[in-house]
Amino acid sequence: MKKIIAALVMVLYTCPASAMTIDECLEEACANNPLVIAAKKEADASGAQRYGNAAALLPRVSAGGLYTRLNEEPPGIDLSSLMVPGAEPPSIAGNPLLQYRFRNNYSGYLRVTQPLFTGGKMIHALKASHSGMLAKEAAYEAAVEKARVDTIKAFYGVITAREMHKLALEAVSQLERHLDRVNNFQKAGTATEYDSLKTEVKLLSWKPKAKSAERGMKNAERNLAITLGRDPFAPVEPEGTLEYEGPMPKQEELEALRKNAVQNRPEARAAREAVQALEEMKRAQAGNLLPQAAAQYNYNFLNKNDVLSTDSGAWDSWWDIKIMLSWDIFTAGANIMKIKQADDEKAAQEERAKLIEARIAAEAGDVFDYVRESEEAVAVWKKNMELAQKGHEIAETKYKNGSITNT
């Protein structure tokens, strides 16, 4: 049984990974990339905060119970002297025991509290949390887009690295064959010792390049695995070709593309929503300068006996309604400084938003130029490849005819 289990484990670990297209990699990265998951959690948290601020506008219902045990029996009050002319009534003020009936006291309440006026503090807090939620959602979109870009780079990075490794191995193999051929020619007297030494040095210089290409291939595979949200050493098998199939942008489209990027890039939208959230927070802090009003309904009940009972007749009950008004007349400038703090934070965020938009505009122009330059470079290198292939064909023909040497 142990041998069978070991064999199964070995099969699982040595089983090659199934080939994945670029679309499959993009789908997996958008679902499992750690930065995307973190951004999604933050967006969900901001939505929960918005719900909490909205719920604060509604009535709040609470209930409570209290058990109090005194260290002695509370004193009784003889009220008969109140009916005797000239008699001094009993003094009851200042005795804390007089608020209780028995040594063991049970009471409770049901309370409903509704804010009536908060100076706009709660409304602006709700608006601030809404803008904050939109900012986090835009940040989540930015994380998704970044994951897509990183996946595309990592995907084709693996394909490129594997191709470079393959070419390096082919170069080493070709040089090894060429060295054998030159050594044979040297023995036959048709090649010199210099030709042999030159080929050997070239072979030695390409072996480290092959090792470096192998290391680059492994790093590219690990990078793709991390981008997909996998273990860095998990096997990946991208399947694709290095070809660009999309339309190339035209020069007259540059300005429209730049404006579209500044307006719609998630990073820019997140920065603008963050500015709006801080503006609403400043208004919410200003609400602390105004009076605060709330209504409260209380339903109270008190046990008539010194033992806890579930009998409804053993409890007294009454209700009351309160209108509560409060106003912070003096706070040593704390509320004013909070408003100033929010205003300064808003100004700082506005500067960050301007910087983000400027960088997006510059990046859009730079990427546009890079794409156009790459298009021209690809066309040039295609011509270079045609020229190299023709030159190789001519060299092979001359070599066969004995017009040129093996070197």
Side-chain angles (χ1 to χ4, degrees):
M1 181 60 68
K2 291 182 179 179
K3 293 181 179 180
I4 294 175
I5 294 176
L8 290 175
V9 171
M10 183 174 296
V11 169
L12 290 175
Y13 274 91
T14 58
C15 182
S18 58
M20 297 181 66
T21 64
I22 182 63
D23 291 334
E24 291 172 338
C25 287
L26 289 173
E27 182 179 357
E28 182 174 341
C30 292
N32 300 328
N33 184 276
L35 295 180
V36 171
I37 295 175
K40 183 64 169 64
K41 294 298 183 182
E42 290 179 354
D44 293 342
S46 64
Q49 182 182 10
R50 177 182 177 275
Y51 177 84
N53 288 336
L57 297 172
L58 302 176
R60 180 178 179 181
V61 180
S62 59
L66 179 65
Y67 164 71
T68 304
R69 177 175 173 80
L70 307 179
N71 65 333
E72 60 182 89
E73 292 288 342
I77 303 176
D78 183 8
L79 300 180
S80 61
S81 60
L82 295 178
M83 306 302 294
V84 179
E88 183 178 353
S91 176
I92 62 175
N95 190 339
L97 299 179
L98 293 178
Q99 62 181 307
Y100 300 103
R101 294 184 180 182
F102 311 102
R103 191 172 185 182
N104 296 301
N105 298 271
Y106 305 90
S107 61
Y109 68 87
L110 178 66
R111 179 174 298 161
V112 180
T113 305
Q114 172 63 57
L116 299 178
F117 179 76
T118 61
K121 179 171 61 176
M122 300 178 71
I123 293 295
H124 290 300
L126 174 60
K127 291 181 178 180
S129 61
H130 179 71
S131 296
M133 180 187 69
L134 295 179
K136 290 298 184 181
E137 289 178 349
Y140 166 67
E141 293 178 21
V144 171
E145 292 304 320
K146 185 179 185 304
R148 290 175 60 84
V149 172
D150 291 345
T151 300
I152 292 172
K153 291 181 178 179
F155 181 90
Y156 290 108
V158 172
I159 294 177
T160 303
R162 288 181 176 178
E163 187 67 21
M164 296 300 295
H165 181 237
K166 177 182 177 182
L167 291 175
L169 293 178
E170 289 179 355
V172 170
S173 177
Q174 185 179 19
L175 286 170
E176 289 175 343
R177 293 194 302 270
H178 184 53
L179 180 61
D180 292 338
R181 190 181 308 144
V182 171
N183 290 335
N184 292 331
F185 287 155
Q186 183 183 358
K187 293 177 182 179
T190 57
T192 66
E193 183 180 357
Y194 175 79
D195 295 330
S196 177
L197 183 60
K198 183 179 179 180
T199 304
E200 185 177 359
V201 169
K202 196 170 185 179
L203 173 61
L204 292 175
S205 68
W206 264 96
K207 285 185 176 180
K209 293 180 182 179
K211 289 290 185 181
S212 178
E214 182 180 7
R215 179 168 54 85
M217 179 183 67
K218 291 180 179 179
N219 287 336
E221 292 173 350
R222 292 167 187 160
N223 184 40
L224 177 58
I226 292 173
T227 306
L228 297 178
R230 298 183 181 182
D231 183 271
F233 300 97
V236 290
E237 191 62 38
E239 181 181 41
T241 56
L242 292 172
E243 294 182 2
Y244 180 71
E245 301 177 354
M248 290 292 178
K250 300 178 181 179
Q251 186 64 41
E252 57 270 18
E253 299 175 346
L254 174 58
E255 191 60 31
L257 291 173
R258 183 183 285 114
K259 290 181 179 179
N260 183 72
V262 172
Q263 182 65 29
N264 296 322
R265 277 276 290 271
E267 303 96 308
R269 288 192 287 112
R272 290 193 292 268
E273 291 296 342
V275 171
Q276 184 60 34
L278 289 171
E279 171 64 23
E280 296 297 340
M281 285 304 300
K282 183 182 75 172
R283 296 177 180 177
Q285 293 294 345
N288 290 324
L289 300 176
L290 300 175
Q292 311 291 309
Q296 188 178 95
Y297 169 81
N298 297 285
Y299 179 76
N300 309 284
F301 45 94
L302 177 66
N303 199 356
K304 297 179 182 180
N305 305 310
D306 62 348
V307 293
L308 184 63
S309 174
T310 58
D311 186 6
S312 59
W315 295 84
D316 284 333
S317 62
W318 69 97
W319 60 267
D320 61 78
I321 296 178
K322 300 177 182 178
I323 302 296
M324 298 175 292
L325 180 67
S326 63
W327 195 356
D328 293 334
I329 298 176
F330 178 74
T331 61
N335 289 335
I336 297 295
M337 294 308 296
K338 288 181 179 179
I339 296 174
K340 184 180 183 304
Q341 177 187 356
D343 191 48
D344 291 340
E345 290 177 350
K346 176 196 169 187
Q349 181 59 37
E350 286 176 339
E351 295 301 320
R352 284 192 288 267
K354 291 178 183 178
L355 180 60
I356 289 174
E357 291 181 354
R359 285 178 174 173
I360 288 175
E363 181 184 349
D366 180 65
V367 171
F368 180 89
D369 294 338
Y370 180 75
V371 170
R372 296 294 299 272
E373 292 171 5
S374 299
E375 181 184 20
E376 296 174 359
V378 168
V380 171
W381 278 105
K382 284 183 177 179
K383 289 297 182 181
N384 285 335
M385 284 294 297
E386 292 178 9
L387 178 62
Q389 288 171 351
K390 291 292 183 182
H392 185 248
E393 292 174 2
I394 293 173
E396 282 187 331
T397 302
K398 289 184 176 181
Y399 177 72
K400 289 177 181 179
N401 295 335
S403 302
I404 60 175
T405 66
N406 178 73
T407 303

